[in-house]
Amino acid sequence: MPDCQFCKQIKSKENMIYEDDKAAAFLDSSFPGKVTIIPKEHYPIIENVPDFVVGHLFIIANKLSKALFECINSTGTNIIVNNGITAGQTIPHFCINIIPRRENDNINLQWQPKQLSDDEMESAELQLKEETKNIGQFDKEKKEPVKLEKKTEKIEQKDGEENYLVKQLRRIP
Amino acid sequence: MEPNSQMTPEQAQAMQEKVKNMSPEELKEFQKQQCIFCHIAEGKMQAKKVYEDDKVIAVLDINPANAGHILLLPKEHYAIMPLMPDDLISYISMVAKALSNAMLKALKVEGTNIFIANGMSAGQKAQHFMMHIIPRNKNDNLPLTVPKMAVSKPDMEKLKEIVTKKVNEIFGIKEEKPKKAEDKEKEKKEEKKPKKTKQKIVDAEFKEIEKKIKKKSTAKKSKKKKEEEEASLDDITNVLNNL
Ligand SMILES: [Zn+2]
Ligand SMILES: [Zn+2]
């Protein structure tokens, strides 16, 4: 996507701290030590991202979270996906955020628990169960089919002497 | 959720003493026995299960941020995410995606959050790794937006250098260091020096090798020390503290 901030950043490599064939990660200047991991391919929300790419991105997220533990003395990390504008997503390119944490850092990511009735809990359970029945098949990375080159061996011949390949051809069975 | 909250101070102290003398294996076993999520995974404790397979289980959070808030956890006990093997992280995140998808359809919500807390300072309460999958409604005002504290350009440069170095170390990537101005000067000077005769060069090389052999044992140690010093870099800590 030409107008996408993340797609542009993949090209410019600004603040990039990691890159491979599927993923890229950047430091975000909106918070000290915050890291954003994105798929290189443009997908708006997690539902669009192929399963194996999701798996890969979270493996990278864990390793980068480890890096934050080890190099900027954070004592914790939050890994957050904001999936959809309602959930706080601001750029329409799926990303995983890592926020380094410390004791008493005055960051509030803690929600107040809601008191739900037994009925409310049960109906949520039933509704979700209905949709989770089909979970289990995950798409794997398709390896590019090996292209068989149709190149035939070119037989070069020097004047006066016969190439061994030609000799093979001349052999009478 | 925390077993400590129901203990008398004496009991808590006795437990702390016990924990002090345990090996990592014993500790994991001890944690497992105390862990309500292990009990849920083993079916010893009731929970509203919404998904289960051989590796993971998903239940409704009894203290939900919103109705339908799911906790997704590995059946095996891992205290925090960095302890988990890559293939399990990959697998559980694919299930998280599927559950988020199911949530959008089942609860007719417009968004979901996937939330992980690693460590107490990040708000991790139970000692069993889990992913929160939270349905979002308009104007529900959950505090799940990423905080903002702008970082200056010079601080970003410092951060980038430190983080990239660690990332390369973790991923085993060899980095090409840009040459410092001093080194370039040195090189220039060396180029200007009159060329030594072959014999002299060979002699010098032998001397170098001798020196290296002598230094080898001490060099290893001092290199390690230097790396440690660089990695601690207190100025970035200060940057983070002061903001
Ligand atoms: Zn994009
Ligand atoms: Zn457990």
Side-chain angles (χ1 to χ4, degrees), chain B residues 14 19 33 38 44 88 101 119 158 199 220 223 226 239:
Chain B
V19 167
Q33 285 163 17
C38 281
K44 287 182 193 162
L88 185 56
N101 201 5
K158 271 190 219 161
Q199 186 53 46
K220 255 189 186 170
K223 198 186 170 195
K226 203 182 170 194
V239 169

Side-chain angles (χ1 to χ4, degrees), chain B residues 18-59:
Chain B
K18 213 173 138 191
V19 167
K20 251 189 203 167
N21 303 314
M22 283 182 183
S23 70
E25 292 77 25
E26 284 174 322
L27 270 174
K28 190 177 174 183
E29 202 44 51
F30 178 71
Q31 272 194 0
K32 268 187 182 174
Q33 285 163 17
Q34 307 286 320
C35 175
I36 61 164
F37 291 99
C38 281
H39 295 168
I40 287 172
E42 288 161 14
K44 287 182 193 162
M45 194 181 251
Q46 277 252 314
K48 294 207 179 316
K49 234 185 275 171
V50 293
Y51 176 77
E52 183 178 13
D53 62 30
D54 57 331
K55 293 190 256 319
V56 301
I57 184 169
V59 298

Side-chain angles (χ1 to χ4, degrees), chain A residues 13-20 27-35 45-52 54-56 58-88 90 97 99-116 118 120-129 131-133 135-136 138-139, chain B residues 47-51 60-70 80-82 84 86-87 89-91 93-107 110-123 125 131-132 134 136-138 140 142-151 153 156-157 159-160 162-164 166-171 173 231-234 236-237 239-241 243:
Chain A
K13 296 185 193 281
E14 196 188 350
N15 295 328
M16 190 184 268
I17 52 160
Y18 175 80
E19 185 182 22
D20 62 32
L27 275 171
D28 185 339
S29 63
S30 74
F31 188 82
K34 182 191 162 193
V35 170
I45 56 171
I46 196 170
E47 280 71 20
N48 312 120
V49 187
D51 294 333
F52 64 88
V54 172
H56 180 72
F58 273 90
I59 290 173
I60 302 299
N62 179 47
K63 291 196 191 323
L64 296 177
S65 148
K66 268 187 203 169
L68 294 179
F69 269 100
E70 289 172 25
C71 74
I72 58 168
N73 299 334
S74 64
T75 55
T77 59
N78 285 113
I79 299 177
I80 304 179
V81 173
N82 300 103
N83 203 36
I85 293 169
T86 313
T90 52
N97 301 295
I99 299 147
R101 298 292 306 272
R102 279 149 193 276
E103 326 290 336
N104 309 317
D105 58 9
N106 289 322
I107 294 166
N108 179 29
L109 294 167
Q110 198 52 61
W111 53 83
Q112 285 300 314
K114 284 204 168 65
Q115 294 302 316
L116 299 182
D118 289 348
E120 285 172 306
M121 284 294 277
E122 209 157 292
S123 90
E125 182 192 2
L126 291 175
Q127 284 172 319
L128 284 166
K129 263 187 180 168
E131 288 292 339
T132 60
K133 274 183 198 162
I135 297 177
F138 298 108
D139 33 287
Chain B
K48 294 207 179 316
K49 234 185 275 171
V50 293
Y51 176 77
L60 289 186
D61 193 332
I62 52 165
N63 293 309
N66 268 330
H69 178 163
I70 292 174
I80 52 169
M81 195 179 188
M84 283 170 63
D86 283 355
D87 54 350
I89 289 177
S90 169
Y91 183 78
S93 63
M94 293 193 284
V95 177
K97 173 196 160 181
L99 288 173
S100 161
N101 201 5
M103 195 173 264
L104 293 178
K105 286 182 193 158
L107 306 177
E110 286 166 44
T112 58
N113 284 117
I114 297 172
F115 179 89
I116 298 168
N118 265 322
M120 287 234 291
S121 58
K125 288 180 188 113
M131 291 169 106
H132 297 257
I134 303 166
R136 294 298 301 274
N137 305 308
K138 255 180 204 156
D140 61 10
L142 295 188
L144 284 166
T145 31
V146 179
K148 282 199 167 145
M149 282 182 206
V151 187
K153 260 206 168 155
M156 276 298 279
E157 286 304 314
L159 264 173
K160 193 183 169 190
I162 292 163
V163 176
T164 308
K166 183 48 96 180
V167 169
N168 288 346
E169 191 188 308
I170 286 177
F171 284 90
I173 300 166
S232 74
L233 278 161
D234 284 329
I236 285 298
T237 311
V239 169
L240 286 161
N241 280 336
L243 281 163

Side-chain angles (χ1 to χ4, degrees), chain A residues 1 4-8 10 39-43 91-94:
Chain A
M1 289 274 286
C4 169
Q5 185 184 321
F6 285 152
C7 286
K8 279 184 198 162
I10 290 168
K40 278 189 163 174
E41 191 88 34
H42 182 92
Y43 304 106
I91 297 167
H93 184 133
F94 172 76

